[in-house]
Amino acid sequence: MFKNTILGLTTAALLMTAGTAAAADYKIDKEGQHAFVQFRIKHLGYSWLYGSFKDFDGGFTYDQADPSKDKVNVTINTGSVDTNHAERDKHLRSADFLNAGKFPQATFTSTGVTKNGDALNVDGNLTLNGVTKPVKLEAKLTGEGKDPWGGERAGFEATGKFALKDFNIKSDLGPASQEVELIISVEGVRQ
């Protein structure tokens, strides 16, 4: 009986503290290739063109109990764009698109996070091509827990989209190609 009482109290204490975990800071695990910043845009309305940025860094703060404490900060080196086609990548780095020579970095800084069912709405400011505009991402927790090396990790997938012209990208790719979609998958190591 005494063992059952202790076990019950311990379980209750764990359950009560699980929901009140404090906000924790995570560094995006880019060295282990456990993070991806990808995009897609329609090509002439016939197919999707996919690409990614190979060089980026950042982190996030995550509080399961209180999303208002969550934060995201990411810096992307625009010259690292890769669509698996060297000539196209060179064109994307030019002033026609990303203008990587003049604006070598793009940044996303969250301004607020709210819970929406199983998802998190992440509002933030995207700075790209010298222009800063609000962008909304929808993020979902992929998983969290201990890793084999004694650390703790949390992973998210986020999606969003924005209009090219909002960021002073004047190249017209046709009516079906006015917006770019973002697909972001990150795994963070708790600091």
Side-chain angles (χ1 to χ4, degrees):
M1 174 107 171
F2 180 70
K3 279 185 181 178
N4 288 341
T5 303
I6 294 296
L7 182 60
L9 290 172
T10 303
T11 302
L14 286 172
L15 290 173
M16 286 172 43
T17 58
T20 59
D25 294 326
Y26 293 81
K27 179 165 176 46
I28 293 174
D29 183 12
K30 71 174 199 160
E31 287 81 17
Q33 285 297 302
H34 297 125
F36 303 90
V37 176
Q38 301 174 316
F39 62 89
R40 73 180 194 166
I41 189 167
K42 284 196 174 174
H43 181 253
L44 305 174
Y46 304 133
S47 65
W48 288 101
L49 182 141
Y50 285 82
S52 64
F53 291 95
K54 299 297 185 187
D55 189 14
F56 58 92
D57 205 356
F60 57 90
T61 301
Y62 173 58
D63 187 326
Q64 183 180 19
D66 187 359
S68 69
K69 294 179 181 175
D70 294 355
K71 296 176 186 166
V72 179
N73 289 294
V74 177
T75 299
I76 298 167
N77 291 317
T78 56
S80 72
V81 67
D82 183 357
T83 64
N84 203 29
H85 189 279
E87 285 303 309
R88 178 173 49 229
D89 295 345
K90 184 178 174 183
H91 190 204
L92 289 174
R93 291 181 191 108
S94 77
D96 289 344
F97 291 97
L98 297 172
N99 206 357
K102 187 173 181 181
F103 303 107
Q105 293 186 324
T107 60
F108 178 82
T109 303
S110 64
T111 57
V113 178
T114 55
K115 190 157 179 62
N116 182 13
D118 290 340
L120 296 168
N121 290 334
V122 182
D123 293 307
N125 289 321
L126 175 64
T127 300
L128 175 67
N129 196 25
V131 177
T132 301
K133 294 269 186 177
V135 169
K136 184 183 291 280
L137 301 175
E138 181 180 284
K140 290 191 177 179
L141 178 67
T142 306
E144 64 179 318
K146 296 195 179 299
D147 64 26
W149 308 280
E152 291 185 36
R153 294 176 180 252
F156 290 88
E157 183 173 81
T159 57
K161 62 184 174 180
F162 62 85
L164 296 176
K165 67 179 180 180
D166 286 349
F167 292 91
N168 205 25
I169 297 172
K170 296 184 172 126
S171 289
D172 190 352
L173 302 173
S177 305
Q178 299 299 306
E179 289 186 327
V180 64
E181 295 182 14
L182 301 171
I183 308 116
I184 303 160
S185 179
V186 296
E187 185 175 302
V189 179
R190 188 170 180 166
Q191 301 300 289

